[in-house]
Each structure stands twice: as C-alpha cells, then as structure tokens.
C-alpha cells in the first residue's frame, strides 16, 4: 500500500491510498457536485450496493489532470451500519455522539428555534439516512460520468431506496450566497503529502483527521473495532444550511451610513473581504490581488498580526471557527476541522433587500476523528458562546443562533462598537453524523455475512 509524506512530517506516514478521497481533498475550484442519501431496506441489498460502489470510490490525492479529477465518497450513519448487519460489538465501539446522531444532540450544538430538528427537512434526523453519497468535481462533464455510474449502482439494487438528493455548484460569482469567497483554508496535516493553505501553520497530527494515527494528545483516537473497520476512516458532520441573504443585507444597510460602511461592516462580521482577502492583512480595504495569491491569502497568524482584533475582530466568523494562534481560552489545535462548503440554490439578485422565497444556502461537510471535541465543541463553545474570547453571551455574527436579540463587539479606537438585535442569518435545514470508512473497511462491510 502506498504511503504519503511531506517535508514537515516526523515519523508518521498515512496510508493515503486507503483513505477515501472525499475525506482529505480540499474542495476543487470551480466545483459542481451532488449529495444522495439512501435507505437500506434489505441488508443483503445494502452490501451488494457497496460492492457496486467500491470501483467508483477513489482513494489518495488529486491527480495531475484536474479535468479528469472527480470522486465519489461513501459514508454511513449509525443506523446505516445497523441496517447492513454490522455486529453489535462493533456498533457499540463507535463514539456516543455518532451513535446518538445529530438530531439528538441538536440543543447542544445550537440547533434550536427554527433550526430545531422538528423543522428539519425529511429525512434528516428520522433514522432513514443510511448511506450518504457525495460526488464532486471541477469538471461538469466528468461529474456527470461519475454520477451516471453511481446512479446505475443504486438504481440496479432492489432493497435500497433514494430518500434525498441535493445538487450543489459554485455560483457564477465564485462566491457564497452571502457574497463572500469560501473554501480558502485547509489544514496542514502531518503525513498526508498535501500542503496546508497557511505556510505558518505547524502540521496538525494526522490522528485529528484520520483514525489509526496519533492525534494532538499523542494518543490514538478511539477507533471502532475490528481494526479493519476503523483504520483510515473518519467522521463527517453533514449539514444543510439555509442562508437568509435578504435579512443579512437589511441588517448591514440599517447599521451603515454608506455602501463603503456596509462593505466594511460585512467584512468585520465575516473576517474577510468579499474577494477572500483577510482583514488581518488588509484591514482597511478589499485587496483582490492579495486574495488571488494562494501563497498570501491565508498566510497569517492573529497573535503576530492582530492580537487586539482591530483588524479582524475576535468575534468574526473565521476567527471564531479557526482562532489559529490567537489568545483564547484553550488550545485551538485540539479543535481543528476539515471544512468543505458547497452552495445550493440561486443567488439573490444584487441589491434586493426582500426575500424572494427561494431555497439557497450551503451543504457543509465537517471532517475529523473526534465529533465531540471538534465539530460539537466548535458549534457549542466557539460559534454559540463568547466566553472563550472574553465576550460572554455573544455568538458568531454569521453562523450563530441570534433570534433578533444577538450582539457582537467590534474593537475600534477610541471606543469599541457594539451591534445589537442581530437576527439569525442562517437556519439549519437538517444534519447527520456519518462515518467515512477507509477503502479496506468498505470492502469488509460489503463482504459481511450473517
């Protein structure tokens, strides 16, 4: 089996060809893709489907010819593993958060009010999501070929039913529905052979992202049994998020006196300008030239460049979700995630301030080996609580649940500014915790016998 290394690796080699491509690869630019959720009504049919999907499921890193680069990833929920007939001893070896599922832990992670599971799209949170397929590519034609092959696999398998589908694609602007470039930051993972986006980031231990390797504590993360099932796998929190773009624009307009102030206020809440240029490096104006340079756009630390938050506020979205070396309560490296956001739905036309009723937003995939101290911790402590940065009661201005009563502090001289009465700009439409097995584990699952 091939292994991967990089210049920053010290004695760790990840069996990269056994890791699903959908686990570690950054999202391509541009991109198009599709998510398909399946329910297994017959365990033999589920196993047969995995056997059909195995030839489509790639491992390793991107190829040299990106026009031919497309991948299908196969993940399973806890209920899906049960439906396949995985032995109870193995099921019991999975972590509690995964066994319980995202809906059962919604209040903990801030999915309350209109984001609560009672309001989620079916089949999220119902137990009917067993297999989650995702296909992603930088080339629409190549994506179509992969989707056709995947569709043939599940449509030719009686006893397996499609319960949800969602097309995603990069908008013509290359930005999110809120108007900001996304997908800029990717961690530097020890032993993988894929450079991170921040040259100043010390490599994160491979065990934070892939099971079977030491994590930041120096220990192996808890791994499902038998070893073949857990090794080279990971967990993915999959979420569909609706974006209230009209409410976002109205709030910016109501709290600014000019278009320039609106742009600055939006950047202060996000932490980057629309082009992707970080406030930490360009605090006063957008800098498309900086944003277009892959060697500079993510090359910064907070303590060195902006410890006081006068450029990028401590409460800004990107600083909360990845504090880097900022002065906070706790160790940010223990909570690092791979984030992969993909956009669905049409953009709200430029300048429109009233909602048009269209569904738009993102399907986010958040990958790591510790659901509780990575995804759940970030959601509970960093997104929906401000204690770790010294702003008790404040939430992430973009991703937090505010309900019209939120507030956010923006450091300014001589007097800081405090925004009040923030509405919720995002609404959770649904989510699932999934296990993304290694390729050897997929074969083991496909060959299970009663």
């Amino acid at each position: 089996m091939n292994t991967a290394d990089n210049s920053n690796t010290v004695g760790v080699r990840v069996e990269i060809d056994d890791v699903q491509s959908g686990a570690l690869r950054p999202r391509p630019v541009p991109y198009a893709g599709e998510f398909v959720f399946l329910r297994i009504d017959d365990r033999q049919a589920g196993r047969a489907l995995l056997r059909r999907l195995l030839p489509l499921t790639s491992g390793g890193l991107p190829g040299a010819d990106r026009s031919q680069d497309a991948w299908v990833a196969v993940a399973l929920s806890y209920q899906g593993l049960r439906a396949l007939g995985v032995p109870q001893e193995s099921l019991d070896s999975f972590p509690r958060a995964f066994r319980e599922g995202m809906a059962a832990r919604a209040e903990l992670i801030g999915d309350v009010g209109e984001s609560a599971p009672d309001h989620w799209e079916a089949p999220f949170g119902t137990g009917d999501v067993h297999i989650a397929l995702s296909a992603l590519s930088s080339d629409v034609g190549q994506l179509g070929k992969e989707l056709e092959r995947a569709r043939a696999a599940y449509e030719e398998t009686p006893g397996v039913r499609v319960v949800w589908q969602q097309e995603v694609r990069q908008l013509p602007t290359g930005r999110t529905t809120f108007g900001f470039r996304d997908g800029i930051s990717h961690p530097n993972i020890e032993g993988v052979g894929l450079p991170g986006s921040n040259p100043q980031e010390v490599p994160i231990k491979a065990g934070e992202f892939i099971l079977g390797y030491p994590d930041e504590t120096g220990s192996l993360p808890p791994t499902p049994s038998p070893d073949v099932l857990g090794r080279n796998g990971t967990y993915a929190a999959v979420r569909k998020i609706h974006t209230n773009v009209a409410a976002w624009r109205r709030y910016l307009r109501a709290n600014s006196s000019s278009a320039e102030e609106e742009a600055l206020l939006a950047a202060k809440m996000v932490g980057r300008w629309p082009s992707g240029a970080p406030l930490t490096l360009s605090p006063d104006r957008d800098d498309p030239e900086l944003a277009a340079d892959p060697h500079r756009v993510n090359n910064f630390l907070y303590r060195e460049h902006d410890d006081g938050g006068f450029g990028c506020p401590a409460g800004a979205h990107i600083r909360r979700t990845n504090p880097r070396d900022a002065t906070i309560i706790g160790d940010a490296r223990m909570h690092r995630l791979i984030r992969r956001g993909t956009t669905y739905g049409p953009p709200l036309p430029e300048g429109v301030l009233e909602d048009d009723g269209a569904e738009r937003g993102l399907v986010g995939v958040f990958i790591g080996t510790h659901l509780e101290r990575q995804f759940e911790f970030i959601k509970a402590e960093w997104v929906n609580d401000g204690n770790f940065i010294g702003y008790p009661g404040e939430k992430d201005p973009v991703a937090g649940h505010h309900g019209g009563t939120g507030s956010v502090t923006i450091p300014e001289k001589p007097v800081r500014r405090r925004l009040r009465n923030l509405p919720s700009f995002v609404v959770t439409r649904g989510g699932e915790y999934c296990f993304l097995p290694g390729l050897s584990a997929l074969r083991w699952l496909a060959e299970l016998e009663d």
Side-chain angles (χ1 to χ4, degrees):
M1 181 178 293
N2 291 336
T3 57
D5 200 354
N6 64 30
S7 59
N8 294 315
T9 298
V10 181
V12 172
R13 288 178 174 269
V14 175
E15 295 163 348
I16 194 67
D17 287 348
D18 195 48
V19 179
Q20 287 197 54
S21 297
L24 295 179
R25 294 190 188 190
R27 189 201 66 201
V29 179
Y31 68 88
E34 187 168 320
F35 291 84
V36 181
F37 289 174
L38 304 161
R39 189 182 73 203
I40 300 169
D41 294 327
D42 176 86
R43 65 177 56 179
Q44 297 297 341
R47 297 168 187 174
L49 174 61
L50 292 187
R51 291 193 290 272
R52 291 187 173 103
L53 290 173
L54 267 166
L56 313 183
T57 309
S58 61
L61 300 178
D65 185 357
R66 298 306 297 270
S67 69
Q68 299 301 309
D69 190 28
W71 68 88
V72 174
V74 181
L76 300 108
S77 69
Y78 175 73
Q79 296 300 331
L81 293 170
R82 287 187 62 190
L84 282 172
V86 171
Q88 190 62 45
E89 181 180 2
S90 293
L91 293 173
D92 292 343
S93 68
F94 281 88
R96 176 183 174 185
F98 175 70
R99 297 196 312 268
E100 291 183 350
M102 190 183 294
R105 302 171 72 82
E107 187 172 353
L108 167 68
I109 61 176
D111 284 337
V112 297
E114 60 183 336
S115 289
D118 288 347
H119 304 296
W120 285 3
E121 288 182 11
F124 288 106
T126 66
D128 281 349
V129 177
H130 293 166
I131 297 177
L133 300 181
S134 63
L136 203 62
S137 179
S138 57
D139 181 82
V140 174
Q142 188 67 20
L143 174 69
K145 294 177 184 177
E146 296 300 316
L147 286 174
E148 185 175 343
R149 296 170 68 197
R151 193 173 297 115
Y154 59 74
E155 287 181 350
E156 294 172 7
T157 309
V160 177
R161 177 185 172 190
V162 175
V163 292
W164 184 80
Q165 291 177 272
Q166 180 67 65
E167 180 184 292
V168 294
R169 64 178 60 244
Q170 182 170 296
L171 295 175
T173 60
R175 300 177 180 179
T176 67
T177 54
F178 282 134
F180 285 77
R181 181 183 164 202
D182 194 17
I184 298 171
S185 184
H186 189 79
N188 185 356
I189 306 170
E190 182 181 85
V192 167
L194 188 67
S197 58
N198 184 357
Q200 300 188 55
E201 180 177 64
V202 176
I204 307 290
K205 296 295 183 183
E208 294 294 319
F209 308 101
I210 300 296
L211 295 167
Y213 306 90
D215 61 18
E216 284 292 313
T217 70
S219 303
L220 294 175
T223 304
S225 63
D227 182 69
V228 66
L229 175 59
R231 187 170 181 82
N232 294 321
T234 190
Y235 298 97
V238 183
R239 290 167 67 76
K240 181 176 181 179
I241 303 295
H242 173 72
T243 50
N244 291 325
V245 179
W248 167 259
R249 292 177 181 175
R250 288 196 303 270
Y251 190 84
L252 295 174
R253 179 71 54 87
N255 288 274
S256 306
S257 59
S258 66
E260 291 74 21
E261 277 194 20
E262 280 188 48
L264 178 59
L265 178 56
K268 289 286 187 179
M269 294 167 75
V270 173
R272 293 185 186 271
W273 294 95
S275 71
L279 283 173
T280 299
L281 299 181
S282 185
D284 300 319
R285 62 178 180 84
D286 201 348
D287 188 341
E289 184 177 337
L290 166 63
D293 187 338
H295 302 292
R296 299 169 59 209
V297 67
N298 212 36
N299 187 2
F300 64 92
L301 298 172
Y302 290 116
R303 191 175 300 178
E304 175 184 351
H305 295 101
D306 187 21
D307 200 30
F310 289 102
C312 179
H317 173 66
I318 70 162
R319 189 158 176 167
R320 279 177 172 267
T321 54
N322 180 16
R324 304 185 186 219
D325 68 330
T327 303
I328 62 168
I329 298 172
D331 181 358
R333 291 173 62 83
M334 299 286 288
H335 311 291
R336 198 79 161 89
L337 275 173
I338 295 174
R339 295 176 177 83
R340 192 174 296 122
T342 52
T343 298
Y344 73 87
L348 185 67
E350 194 68 33
V352 173
L353 299 180
E354 297 301 323
D355 188 71
D356 60 359
E359 264 297 320
R360 59 176 57 87
L362 65 90
V363 176
V365 179
F366 306 87
I367 295 171
T369 56
H370 298 275
L371 282 170
E372 292 189 49
R373 77 161 163 84
Q374 290 172 303
F375 174 74
E376 291 190 343
F377 180 93
I378 290 172
K379 286 288 294 175
E381 302 296 331
W382 288 358
V383 170
N384 284 303
D385 189 276
N387 285 318
F388 82 108
I389 53 173
Y391 295 140
E394 291 193 8
K395 302 177 181 182
D396 185 316
V398 180
H401 176 76
H402 302 292
T405 62
S407 60
V408 61
T409 299
I410 299 177
E412 293 181 355
K413 294 180 180 179
V415 180
R416 68 183 183 183
R417 182 182 184 188
R418 195 164 195 213
L419 300 171
R420 301 184 185 276
N421 303 319
L422 269 76
S424 296
F425 298 117
V426 300
V427 179
T428 306
R429 294 293 195 230
E432 296 287 343
Y433 287 151
C434 296
F435 176 59
L436 198 67
L439 296 182
S440 296
L442 268 181
R443 294 187 192 96
W444 184 84
L445 290 166
E447 295 165 3
L448 282 171
E449 296 181 359
D450 292 332

